Each structure stands twice: as structure tokens, then as C-alpha cells.
Amino acid sequence: MCTNAALAVALVGHLGPFIPSVVSKPPAAAALAVATLWFLTAVNVLGVRTAGRVQVVTTAIKILPLAAVGIAGLFYLDPAHFAITQTGGAAVARGITATA
């Protein structure tokens, strides 16, 4: 049950940038956390199959934005940034300094 409470508090905390009016009011934030706990409890009461489906959906919600950012980043990839230019002594020192 501690895990569900942690998830409810984390959900309310992460909603701050999206719904600041709810999170800035402690009673509303507490009500949302309690509602989240009851929702997760109801999912568990409905059975393992339902809980598994909810877990698949929440995992997709986590992975899809990460994949979208990765795919969008491919459009901004400039292969010239990976070109090897000079490999002599002073160039190596400048490269190490720039990297650091």
C-alpha cells in the first residue's frame, strides 16, 4: 500500500506544471492524491487482468514521449558534428579542452 501512496503523491507533484491551480491548493492536491489511491485500489479489486492492462497503458504513457523525443531528435541530427578533422598534437589538446 505504501507504493500506491508514493505513486499518488508523485502523480500530484508531476501534475504541477500542467495543472498549477490544483497543485497550488493543498486541499485539492490531497483530494487528487486520495482519488488516485482509490482508483488504484479499485483497479486492484477488479483483478489481475485489469491491473495488468492498466500497467500496460501506464507503461505506454511513459515510453511514447521518450520515443517521440528520440525520433524528433533524428531530424535535427547533423552528421558534420561527428566528422573527424585533425588528429595532430595541438588539435587533440584543443579537443580534450573543448570536451571537458
Side-chain angles (χ1 to χ4, degrees):
M1 197 63 174
C2 291
T3 303
N4 285 345
L7 289 173
V9 170
L11 173 80
V12 172
H14 288 330
L15 284 178
F18 304 108
I19 312 172
S21 61
V22 172
V23 179
S24 64
K25 299 174 186 169
L32 183 59
V34 170
T36 302
L37 276 174
W38 278 109
F39 171 74
L40 293 172
T41 301
V43 167
N44 284 328
V45 166
L46 291 174
V48 174
R49 186 178 308 261
T50 304
R53 288 181 181 147
V54 169
Q55 188 166 2
V56 167
V57 169
T58 57
T59 300
I61 290 171
K62 289 185 291 188
I63 291 176
L64 288 176
L66 292 172
V69 167
I71 292 169
L74 291 175
F75 293 106
Y76 292 98
L77 182 69
D78 186 6
H81 292 177
F82 300 101
I84 298 175
T85 55
Q86 300 173 346
T87 57
V92 170
R94 282 193 307 269
I96 291 172
T97 303
T99 303

